[in-house]
Amino acid sequence: MKNHRLWALMLSFVLAFTMCVGSLESAFAEEVDEEPADTPSVQLELVESDDSTSLCYEVVVPERGFLEISFPAGDEESETVYDTKLLNYEKQPLVGDDWQSVTAENDYTLSYGLAAGTYYLLVKGDALEELPSVDFMSVDDKIGSTKAKAVSIYKNGSEKTGVITAKQKKTSCQWYKFKVNKAQKVTIRIAGKTNGSGLKFTIMDKNGSSVVRTIDSDTPERSIRFFSIVNKKQQEKLAAGTYWIKVQKVDESGDGYYSIKWK
């Protein structure tokens, strides 16, 4: 009888221990599942300005990407104007010495392509009753730094995205290519959000013949139909062959985000 009681006590202990461990595992699993994702946050922080006539905001960009800064619209009865200037970590202008005006015409929004780093935004003009809002999107798609390393684009394939940063030189280019296997109609959609004079897209064939399209804040999206030129006559279908797309700044003030897709 004593043995039966001993076995019963041991069995009860094992069951209680198992249930306790199970409860701990369940609680631990819930804690892990509910743990928030570690995503970088980009914010504007008001800091002391070296210029008494302007406000200065610091923004830390965690990785290469695209930054949008939106200002409050202000009074509807009179046009609100903000004069802005973007500085690098040494507080030197990134896109020229001129102040850039932000108005209702550009939806009170600034658009910048930036590498990782610390930046400062100077703002003067109308008094700000609230902080400008900021939105950041990282862009890490593969890009071709030279013509020989051009990234391939395929018909109905995935959209390619890239960033031309404010500190890049006008001569710095990003390359893509597409191959036409037989004479056909070719339409490629280019889109973007840019600053300054915008971005330039040069499409060329193996002989160097080219056509240029630009994207700026006034023309952020275009679908482009390409044609062949044969004996100085334009033909609707693009001839078979390989074509390259070169992306760069229109001038030193241009920068921004872009996308390319062969429809």
Side-chain angles (χ1 to χ4, degrees), residues 130-256:
E130 57 184 283
L131 280 174
S133 62
V134 60
D135 186 29
F136 176 76
M137 179 181 70
S138 63
V139 179
D140 58 0
D141 277 9
K142 180 181 177 182
I143 59 173
S145 56
T146 65
K147 186 178 179 181
K149 297 179 180 179
V151 173
S152 295
I153 297 174
Y154 301 98
K155 184 175 177 62
N156 297 320
S158 60
E159 181 179 78
K160 305 297 182 182
T161 60
V163 165
I164 299 290
T165 67
K167 71 176 183 179
Q168 283 182 245
K169 298 297 184 182
K170 177 184 174 182
T171 52
S172 177
C173 305
Q174 297 175 3
W175 292 85
Y176 301 85
K177 66 180 179 180
F178 61 96
K179 185 177 182 181
V180 179
N181 294 319
K182 62 179 181 179
Q184 60 183 282
K185 296 179 180 179
V186 174
T187 299
I188 289 183
R189 174 185 174 272
I190 59 175
K193 294 184 177 180
T194 69
N195 177 65
S197 299
L199 305 179
K200 178 171 71 174
F201 295 75
T202 305
I203 296 87
M204 61 185 67
D205 59 20
K206 63 180 180 180
N207 298 318
S209 299
S210 62
V211 59
V212 174
R213 296 290 188 272
T214 60
I215 279 184
D216 55 36
S217 57
D218 296 325
T219 55
E221 181 175 323
R222 293 184 179 183
S223 289
I224 303 172
R225 174 72 58 81
F226 297 106
F227 301 92
S228 296
I229 305 296
V230 180
N231 297 327
K232 297 183 178 181
K233 293 184 178 180
Q234 182 171 285
Q235 297 184 350
E236 185 175 1
K237 294 183 178 181
L238 196 64
T242 299
Y243 298 81
W244 288 265
I245 303 175
K246 179 173 66 173
V247 188
Q248 62 190 130
K249 297 181 175 186
V250 172
D251 57 36
E252 293 297 341
S253 70
D255 63 90

Side-chain angles (χ1 to χ4, degrees), residues 30-50:
E30 287 178 2
E31 287 180 4
V32 171
D33 289 343
E34 293 176 1
E35 184 177 353
D38 184 17
T39 56
S41 174
V42 177
Q43 297 178 343
L44 288 176
E45 181 180 351
L46 186 62
V47 296
E48 185 177 354
S49 177
D50 297 333

Side-chain angles (χ1 to χ4, degrees), residues 5 7 26 31 40 51 54 71 80 86 93 111-112 128-129 131 133 139 186 188 198 207 214:
R5 288 181 179 177
W7 280 108
S26 177
E31 287 180 4
D51 178 4
S54 62
F71 293 81
T80 303
L86 183 68
S111 303
Y112 293 111
L128 280 172
E129 297 181 358
L131 280 174
S133 62
V139 179
V186 174
I188 289 183
N207 298 318
T214 60

Side-chain angles (χ1 to χ4, degrees), residues 84-88 91-100 112 122 166-168 195-196 249 251-255:
T84 66
K85 186 181 292 187
L86 183 68
L87 311 178
N88 62 14
K91 294 193 174 180
Q92 298 299 314
L94 262 179
V95 289
D97 292 327
D98 296 334
W99 290 82
Q100 179 181 353
Y112 293 111
L122 296 182
K167 71 176 183 179
Q168 283 182 245
N195 177 65
K249 297 181 175 186
D251 57 36
E252 293 297 341
S253 70
D255 63 90

